[in-house]
């Protein structure tokens, strides 16, 4: 067998690899892997252009001008992912003007792709300078039209960012129209849990921002959840889904309690308690969602699911339940600190028999929510 010289590699090491592969002593798999690795390293030295890896090259840059100069220095070798990474870095630096400048640069170089388009939607959604709903939607429509003119198909990033933007500015009809289009086209995006979570979040926010019966709102939200993992889509919900749903039930419970307090004659209470039937129904649904997650996922729920349950019980002053879930949530945080010595990859000190990785930090937001919900239960129990 003769090996032809590769046209893509002109390094001296290439000849060494060919010569060694032609000898019997180098025919083992281990040697082949080693020489392939050497070839990869050698080729990288002979490449004319090393593409930027999704913005990693920009992380050390502290100004948007530095990012812009880094992009310009690439010349004709700049790629779409380079511009995407540059836009992300400028967004992290809160320089939206440079983000749009980079977007226009990508347009001039015909580098615009769906990732860059979705990133611009993300910026509109999170930038404080975009406050006018009408101007924001006009810009969004222009981006959507550009995607259509370039014959690009939306990805899940575009869909989730769009739904978040619609929710922020109360464009509920646009949100439902987009999702109905996905349904009608039987899009593969409906197999993505994040897409369903974004649409659930839209329906939850719409329900909480409009008037109406809280049980009807709960029924509507649960119907979207049931559709999510129905036979039509069979999308498996994750812990974010359940935390979102339980949190929504908790907010509806709080609204129902306020309504019952101002309309005592309209509320039928259960026996031996001051909790109305509608309140009890909402609590039971929250408990069922929590149990369903544990059963279907076959694992202990994440900390934010416990935080949602603590908030739910905190509304009715059930301190015992709140303390029970609080202890579990805190224990779960400490469990993350227990790193098996045989799988340890960090060089950290050992304290009290446990390794404490430098990369791990407490989920402060979750713990704060758990403690806040518990305090709320104590206050409500005293009222």
């Amino acid at each position: 067998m003769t090996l032809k010289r590769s046209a893509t590699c002109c390094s001296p090491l290439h000849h060494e690899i060919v010569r060694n592969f032609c000898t019997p002593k180098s025919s083992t798999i281990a040697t082949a892997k080693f020489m392939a690795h050497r070839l990869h390293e050698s080729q990288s030295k002979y490449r004319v252009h090393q593409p930027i890896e999704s913005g990693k090259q920009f992380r050390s840059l502290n100004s948007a001008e530095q990012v812009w100069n880094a992009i310009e220095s690439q010349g004709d070798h700049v790629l779409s992912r380079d511009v995407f990474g540059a836009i992300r870095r400028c967004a992290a630096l809160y320089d939206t003007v440079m983000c749009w400048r980079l977007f226009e640069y990508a347009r001039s170089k015909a580098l615009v792709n769906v990732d860059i388009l979705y990133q611009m939607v993300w910026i509109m959604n999170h930038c404080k300078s975009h406050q006018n709903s009408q101007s924001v939607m006009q810009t969004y429509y222009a981006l959507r039209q550009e995607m259509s003119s370039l014959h690009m198909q939306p990805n899940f990033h575009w869909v989730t960012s769009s739904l978040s933007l619609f929710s922020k500015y109360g464009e509920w009809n646009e949100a439902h129209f987009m999702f109905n289009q996905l349904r009608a086209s039987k899009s593969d995006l409906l197999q993505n849990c994040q897409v369903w979570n974004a649409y659930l979040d839209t329906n939850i926010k719409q329900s909480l921002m409009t008037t109406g019966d809280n049980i009807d709102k709960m029924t509507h939200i649960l119907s979207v959840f049931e559709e999510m993992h129905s036979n039509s889509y069979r999308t498996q919900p994750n812990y974010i889904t359940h935390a979102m749903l339980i949190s929504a039930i908790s907010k509806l419970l709080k609204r129902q309690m306020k309504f019952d307090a101002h309309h005592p004659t309209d509320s039928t209470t259960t026996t031996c308690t001051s909790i109305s039937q509608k309140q009890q129904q909402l609590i039971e649904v929250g408990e069922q969602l929590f149990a369903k997650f544990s059963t279907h996922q076959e694992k202990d729920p994440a900390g934010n699911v416990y935080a949602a349950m603590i908030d739910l019980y905190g509304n009715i002053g059930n301190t015992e339940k709140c303390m029970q879930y609080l202890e579990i949530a805190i224990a779960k945080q400490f469990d993350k600190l227990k790193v098996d010595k045989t799988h340890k990859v960090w060089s950290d000190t050992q304290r009290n028999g446990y390794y404490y990785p430098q990369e791990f930090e407490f989920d402060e937001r979750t713990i704060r929510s758990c403690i806040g919900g518990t305090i709320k239960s104590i206050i409500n129990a005293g009222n």
Side-chain angles (χ1 to χ4, degrees):
M1 180 182 71
T2 59
L3 296 177
K4 296 182 180 180
R5 180 174 179 175
S6 172
T8 60
C9 177
C10 56
S11 66
L13 183 60
H14 177 76
H15 303 291
E16 177 191 346
I17 292 175
V18 172
R19 184 170 58 254
N20 284 320
F21 271 152
C22 291
T23 59
K25 64 179 181 179
S26 303
S27 59
T28 63
I29 295 176
T31 304
K33 289 183 177 179
F34 169 74
M35 298 306 288
H37 176 68
R38 291 283 308 278
L39 174 61
H40 175 74
E41 291 181 340
S42 176
Q43 283 180 324
S44 66
K45 297 177 182 179
Y46 284 83
R47 288 194 186 104
V48 177
H49 167 62
Q50 286 284 348
I52 298 173
E53 298 180 8
S54 302
K56 291 182 180 179
Q57 302 273 2
F58 303 115
R59 293 177 184 174
S60 61
L61 303 182
N62 298 320
S63 73
E65 281 298 330
Q66 290 179 339
V67 176
W68 173 261
N69 293 335
I71 285 291
E72 280 200 317
S73 66
Q74 297 292 313
D76 294 334
H77 298 291
V78 68
L79 304 175
S80 294
R81 65 177 180 177
D82 300 340
V83 181
F84 173 74
I87 292 174
R88 291 194 65 175
R89 181 55 186 160
C90 289
L93 293 170
Y94 304 103
D95 195 328
T96 55
V97 174
M98 183 60 75
C99 290
W100 286 104
R101 184 181 176 187
L102 287 164
F103 176 71
E104 291 300 328
Y105 174 84
R107 293 181 69 185
S108 68
K109 297 286 187 179
L111 295 173
V112 173
N113 61 12
V114 68
D115 287 324
I116 291 176
L117 289 170
Y118 112 74
Q119 186 66 36
M120 302 317 296
V121 175
W122 186 93
I123 289 169
M124 287 194 297
N125 194 23
H126 291 82
C127 177
K128 294 181 179 180
S129 63
H130 292 92
Q131 298 292 341
N132 189 300
S133 175
Q134 185 176 359
S135 64
V136 167
M137 293 310 300
Q138 287 176 351
T139 306
Y140 173 81
Y141 295 143
L143 292 174
R144 188 170 66 183
Q145 179 60 36
E146 182 153 0
M147 183 171 67
S148 178
S149 64
L150 294 172
H151 305 287
M152 296 177 183
Q153 293 298 320
N155 58 14
F156 82 91
H157 289 299
W158 170 269
V159 173
T160 54
S161 296
S162 297
L163 289 172
S164 180
L165 186 73
F166 297 150
S167 297
K168 180 177 181 178
Y169 292 100
E171 297 290 338
W172 312 118
N173 291 335
E174 284 286 347
H176 297 307
F177 177 76
M178 168 182 275
F179 210 79
N180 286 333
Q181 281 188 317
L182 295 177
R183 288 188 179 109
S185 62
K186 298 181 180 179
S187 172
D188 291 339
L189 293 174
L190 293 179
Q191 307 294 326
N192 189 303
C193 182
Q194 294 183 58
V195 171
W196 281 99
N197 284 348
Y199 188 58
L200 268 170
D201 183 62
T202 298
N203 282 270
I204 290 169
K205 288 178 179 175
Q206 183 180 10
S207 297
L208 293 173
M209 292 178 67
T210 55
T211 58
D213 184 77
N214 293 313
I215 300 299
D216 291 341
K217 292 179 181 295
M218 178 193 69
T219 303
H220 168 70
I221 293 169
L222 292 178
S223 68
V224 178
F225 173 65
E226 293 298 329
E227 182 186 7
M228 172 184 180
H229 58 87
S230 65
N231 292 332
S232 300
Y233 306 109
R234 297 182 179 179
T235 306
Q236 185 68 28
N238 58 15
Y239 70 93
I240 296 176
T241 314
H242 285 81
M244 188 189 309
L245 288 169
I246 296 171
S247 179
I249 298 300
S250 177
K251 290 180 174 66
L252 289 174
L253 173 61
K254 190 173 182 178
R255 282 171 52 134
Q256 186 63 45
M257 292 175 68
K258 288 182 178 179
F259 178 86
D260 293 345
H262 291 88
H263 304 83
T265 57
D266 298 336
S267 305
T268 305
T269 57
T270 56
T271 57
C272 301
T273 69
S274 59
I275 300 176
S276 70
Q277 290 181 351
K278 288 187 176 182
Q279 291 178 33
Q280 185 63 36
Q281 188 175 350
L282 289 163
I283 294 169
E284 289 174 356
V285 169
E287 292 172 339
Q288 290 168 7
L289 287 168
F290 182 83
K292 182 179 290 187
F293 180 86
S294 304
T295 304
H296 287 223
Q297 301 290 331
E298 296 182 349
K299 62 181 181 181
D300 191 30
N304 58 351
V305 180
Y306 282 104
M309 287 300 294
I310 291 172
D311 188 66
L312 178 71
Y313 285 118
N315 289 326
I316 59 173
N318 192 334
T319 307
E320 183 180 355
K321 277 286 188 180
C322 289
M323 289 299 296
Q324 176 186 340
Y325 286 138
L326 176 62
E327 290 177 2
I328 297 173
I330 293 176
K332 287 173 69 64
Q333 291 292 311
F334 278 104
D335 286 342
K336 292 180 181 180
L337 294 173
K338 301 175 184 178
V339 181
D340 187 347
K341 184 177 180 180
T342 59
H343 297 92
K344 181 175 168 55
V345 294
W346 299 280
S347 57
D348 303 311
T349 57
Q350 186 180 12
R351 301 194 304 272
N352 301 325
Y354 298 137
Y355 283 90
Y356 290 77
Q358 295 174 354
E359 297 185 5
F360 175 81
E361 293 181 358
F362 271 102
D363 186 352
E364 183 181 344
R365 183 177 180 180
T366 297
I367 295 300
R368 192 190 307 120
S369 297
C370 292
I371 295 174
T374 305
I375 293 173
K376 180 172 69 172
S377 73
I378 297 172
I379 295 172
N380 290 334
N383 293 335

